[in-house]
Amino acid sequence: MWRSQLMATKVLLACAGLVALSACASSGAAPARRDASLITQEALNDPSVRSLNVIEAIRVLRPNFLSSRGTQTIVTDQNRAVTDPESGQVHASIDDSGVLPIDELKQIQARAVREIRLLSPAAAMQRFGATAKQGPVIAVRTI
């Protein structure tokens, strides 16, 4: 008799657990994931960042955006290896203006920016072609 009661209790507890799990799953309360390649306008409006220029804001919020891949060697059509000191370095793009030196971001205040997105070297090459110089590009969209 006690075995059947024990089995009934186990089944009841298992059902209660499933009900609780399904309630959590259907509530839509999934934890928000931060996109590691994006800095939002909300983050840029933080009082500790708002008065900084874009480079300074990146240093505070996502310093890894400023990491370069190191100089890349390019093989030309004549099978010569050429090293471009700009290759593999981080560059910038402001409102899809093309690839610019990263120092251009010092001219823009964080409060004037909608979003900052880090494009991987592959994504930058796809979007900007050879002007991305095999490096990541910080794409800035202003307000």
Side-chain angles (χ1 to χ4, degrees):
M1 172 99 171
W2 64 274
R3 283 187 180 178
S4 63
Q5 287 177 335
L6 181 61
M7 186 62 138
T9 303
K10 285 182 179 180
V11 169
L12 183 61
L13 286 173
C15 288
L18 287 174
V19 168
L21 275 174
S22 66
C24 290
S26 65
S27 69
R33 282 192 261 166
R34 182 181 89 161
D35 184 346
S37 65
L38 178 69
I39 301 173
T40 63
Q41 186 175 10
E42 180 182 6
L44 294 166
N45 280 329
D46 183 279
S48 66
V49 176
R50 189 170 166 73
S51 63
L52 302 175
N53 68 45
V54 170
I55 288 286
E56 295 167 335
I58 291 170
R59 280 193 182 111
V60 170
L61 298 170
R62 302 277 200 300
N64 63 304
F65 277 25
L66 301 171
S67 299
S68 69
R69 295 177 64 193
T71 303
Q72 305 294 304
T73 301
I74 302 165
V75 178
T76 65
D77 292 336
Q78 295 84 21
N79 284 331
R80 288 185 24 225
V82 178
T83 303
D84 179 355
E86 292 270 323
S87 68
Q89 301 301 312
V90 181
H91 288 83
S93 176
I94 302 166
D95 295 325
D96 290 322
S97 62
V99 177
L100 306 166
I102 193 142
D103 285 344
E104 294 291 322
L105 299 181
K106 292 178 181 177
Q107 308 304 316
I108 304 170
Q109 294 298 306
R111 66 178 164 266
V113 173
R114 180 178 303 136
E115 75 173 27
I116 301 170
R117 182 172 298 276
L118 178 66
L119 300 175
S120 69
M125 290 289 287
Q126 185 175 27
R127 187 164 174 182
F128 299 109
T131 60
K133 299 192 180 263
Q134 299 181 357
V137 172
I138 297 173
V140 175
R141 290 200 182 274
T142 60
I143 297 173

